[in-house]
Amino acid sequence: MAIVKAAGISGPQRGLAEQIFSRAAGAPLVVGNDVRILRDARENYPAWLDAIHQARRSILFENYIIEDDPVGRSFADALEARARDGVRVCVLYDWLGCQGTASSRFWRRLREAGVEVRCFNPFQFDRPLAWLGRNHRKTLTVDGEVGFVSGLCVSHKWVGDPEKQVAPWRDTGLVIRGPAVADLVRAFAQGWATVGTPLDEEACLSARAPEPMGDVALRVVAGVPWSAGLFRVDQLIASLARKRLWLTDAYFVGTAAYVQALRAASHDGVDVRLLVPGSSDIPVLRPLTQAGYRPLLEAGIRVYEWNGTMLHAKTAVADGLWARVGSSNLNPASWLGNSEIDVAVEDVSFAQRMEAMYLEDLEHATQVVLSGRDRRLMRANPHPLPRSQRGAPGRRGSMSRAAAGAMRLGNTVGAAVANHRELGRTESKVVFGAGVVPLAFAGLALWCPQVVAVPAAALSVWAGISLWSRALRLRRQEAATPEAQRPLPEAEVPPRPADVPPALVAEAEARSAPEAERHQP
């Protein structure tokens, strides 16, 4: 890979480095692809709809949010039309992401037209915490020949409203043709199988799927909860970058390990930049946002805030050699908790186009700097842009920024309790406010114990019933499984004959040991 070569690794070490990269990502390098950048909804949505209209065999569509609005209904119309024409259409939406965005009537309409619709990980009484793992992927695969990966959901928020001076959300996607599309089909099949009958992958692939369509090499990094594949990739890229590492993220809440990797790269002379959404519309969240900037700025990392309505893109580009686009944010929820999908492209021409787009985005952003003797945070341009240029934030923009603020709040409180990083002065109010909560809870428990005891008892009853329900379900599954399909018990090891000399036993074990084990020190 180009970034490994640029890091000065060659010969046998280069092969080892590429193997390490593949294992860290959990994805092989696939060559022979054609990849094109799609910017914002104005380029993504028309390309998606055009591919759907041209589908002949299969459409595999998954998204975190599908809203019942003019945009969502345009996609529903297109999917229904292809299903009526005999094309297999599979739609996988996330239960939590679509709460309040689309009614049951919207999904029933799709099913009645022949679309196969499944809901990912709905809330279940006997699994009270399972709902925390979400399917945050945004992919569309048509006929196994063309695939789309992006950070865009299906909603009018990404389109904007010029009449109300609401600017569209800034986001980035890709369209892929070539052998790597098969990896997108497999990734969709993995999520599809978690909520029902597995997908016949071969039936969704075209006979032309393995044929090269270009000269771009890439990896499809399909993350599942607790796999941390993309986290390892991000750590490796931060370590391998020699000149530039430019990041765009909607909800940046870096772990201590990742922040330290970025700081180390900056100290080594790497031009590290981070582009994030503008300051929150909720004043109480601004100290949390600033607190995340301080350790980066002190290490020489340049931080920029987007001036528009909402920056929702999740991209990275390193040294003009490597780039990533997808659904994963730089925070623990994406790295560990969600099912995500990203495309890591190893192509000089593509990476250079990503760098050019990044520089264009910086023209619509404001740099955050440390100023004064007390090193306070401030924007390089303290005067905000006029409302007509920024656009109204909109409800979803405020909610999204609020979600990012909540994650930063958890990060700050966790750092105060575990002492895993140094807290800044701007976080003092946040930590003080967090300290009020347990004190108020303790006072309430002393003043009126029933207020605390009743909810605690109810939660305990819920936990106990959910565990019993789960156990009964497992027993029924075991009883329904035929005896022939049950796992066989481990074979017993026959006892060693008493008359065999120990020396012969040791010699036989040495002959049967693998070659690698005999040469181990």
Side-chain angles (χ1 to χ4, degrees):
M1 56 185 293
I3 195 168
V4 170
K5 184 178 180 180
I9 304 174
S10 60
Q13 291 80 11
R14 180 180 177 184
L16 178 61
E18 292 180 351
Q19 185 181 45
I20 292 172
F21 203 95
S22 294
R23 291 183 178 179
L29 186 65
V30 182
V31 299
N33 301 282
D34 176 72
V35 183
R36 185 164 59 91
I37 302 171
L38 300 176
R39 180 166 178 160
D40 298 337
R42 68 176 186 270
E43 295 182 1
N44 279 272
Y45 287 171
W48 297 4
L49 289 170
D50 183 63
I52 291 173
H53 291 316
Q54 297 183 28
R56 300 182 304 277
R57 287 178 302 278
S58 66
I59 299 172
L60 310 179
F61 188 37
E62 64 179 334
N63 212 293
Y64 182 64
I65 297 174
I66 301 176
E67 194 161 353
D68 185 3
D69 61 11
V71 173
R73 287 190 288 272
S74 68
F75 277 91
D77 292 340
L79 295 172
E80 291 171 12
R82 301 315 296 143
R84 292 192 181 97
D85 288 341
V87 176
R88 184 178 185 185
V89 181
C90 301
V91 175
L92 180 63
Y93 70 93
D94 186 83
W95 173 80
L96 182 63
C98 289
Q99 285 294 306
T101 65
S103 64
S104 58
R105 182 173 56 184
F106 179 83
W107 305 117
R108 185 169 61 252
R109 165 190 162 186
L110 287 171
R111 292 188 176 99
E112 290 174 352
V115 178
E116 300 176 51
V117 180
R118 292 184 183 179
C119 176
F120 181 85
N121 196 16
F123 177 79
Q124 300 179 57
F125 181 83
D126 61 343
R127 299 178 183 180
L129 298 180
W131 64 273
L132 295 175
R134 308 314 318 166
N135 185 348
H136 196 242
R137 298 174 179 176
K138 293 98 174 176
T139 68
L140 169 65
T141 307
V142 177
D143 292 339
E145 296 181 4
V146 57
F148 300 85
V149 177
S150 72
L152 288 84
C153 298
V154 180
S155 169
H156 70 279
K157 305 297 191 306
W158 273 261
V159 177
D161 189 343
E163 295 182 359
K164 297 181 180 179
Q165 295 186 339
V166 177
W169 284 18
R170 173 71 185 90
D171 220 325
T172 302
L174 298 178
V175 55
I176 304 170
R177 290 179 173 82
V181 177
D183 288 345
L184 297 179
V185 172
R186 282 188 282 270
F188 179 89
Q190 176 271 322
W192 188 257
T194 62
V195 287
T197 305
L199 181 73
D200 184 359
E201 300 176 23
E202 296 300 324
C204 297
L205 291 174
S206 166
R208 300 191 309 167
E211 296 180 2
M213 301 294 291
D215 56 0
V216 176
L218 59 85
R219 303 175 197 271
V220 176
V221 185
V224 295
W226 303 109
S227 65
L230 190 68
F231 177 70
R232 293 191 296 269
V233 171
D234 287 333
Q235 290 279 79
L236 278 175
I237 291 300
S239 302
L240 290 172
R242 300 291 297 274
K243 299 178 181 178
R244 298 178 299 281
L245 178 57
W246 296 350
L247 308 169
T248 301
D249 201 72
Y251 310 113
F252 177 80
V253 185
T255 62
Y258 186 64
V259 170
Q260 181 55 36
L262 297 180
R263 287 168 55 91
S266 181
H267 287 315
D268 284 344
V270 179
D271 176 14
V272 183
R273 305 184 187 187
L274 174 64
L275 175 61
V276 294
S279 58
S280 174
D281 299 325
I282 305 174
V284 71
L285 298 181
R286 182 154 181 78
L288 304 178
T289 304
Q290 293 178 335
Y293 297 163
R294 182 171 292 277
L296 303 176
L297 296 173
E298 290 176 345
I301 297 171
R302 287 189 269 185
V303 178
Y304 299 85
E305 289 184 342
W306 179 252
N307 291 329
T309 303
M310 179 62 186
L311 175 74
H312 198 259
K314 307 98 166 50
T315 67
V317 57
D319 291 343
L321 304 172
W322 179 95
R324 171 179 64 82
V325 177
S327 67
S328 296
N329 293 294
L330 299 174
N331 61 46
S334 283
W335 283 326
L336 297 175
N338 294 337
S339 294
E340 305 276 3
I341 193 161
D342 296 81
V343 176
V345 181
E346 301 175 12
D347 181 79
V348 174
S349 177
F350 179 88
Q352 289 177 350
R353 291 196 297 272
M354 288 289 294
E355 284 191 335
M357 185 173 65
Y358 193 93
L359 293 175
E360 291 178 6
D361 287 340
L362 292 188
E363 296 178 359
H364 304 281
T366 301
Q367 186 174 0
V368 179
V369 296
L370 292 170
S371 177
R373 291 183 178 181
D374 56 356
R375 307 282 285 170
R376 291 183 180 273
L377 289 167
M378 66 174 294
R379 305 185 85 192
N381 175 18
H383 303 290
L385 293 176
R387 174 68 66 182
S388 60
Q389 298 182 33
R390 291 188 291 129
R395 182 180 66 88
R396 179 67 68 176
S398 297
M399 291 177 60
S400 301
R401 291 170 181 171
M407 298 181 68
R408 295 188 181 99
L409 174 61
N411 188 35
T412 299
V413 175
V417 173
N419 198 32
H420 61 73
R421 69 172 175 86
E422 184 178 353
L423 296 174
R425 290 187 299 272
T426 57
E427 296 174 284
S428 60
K429 294 181 180 180
V430 176
V431 175
F432 179 82
V436 171
V437 175
L439 290 175
F441 183 81
L444 183 62
L446 293 173
W447 178 65
C448 187
Q450 295 85 351
V451 175
V452 177
V454 172
L459 290 175
S460 298
V461 171
W462 183 13
I465 293 177
S466 66
L467 291 174
W468 280 0
S469 175
R470 188 73 183 276
L472 290 174
R473 182 183 297 179
L474 293 174
R475 291 292 297 271
R476 292 194 189 100
Q477 290 177 355
E478 182 180 5
T481 303
E483 187 72 25
Q485 297 182 9
R486 295 182 184 178
L488 297 176
E490 185 177 355
E492 295 183 359
V493 179
R496 180 185 299 172
D499 56 347
V500 178
L504 293 178
V505 174
E507 182 180 354
E509 291 178 348
R511 286 198 301 267
S512 62
E515 187 71 19
E517 292 183 5
R518 294 203 297 268
H519 287 83
Q520 285 182 354

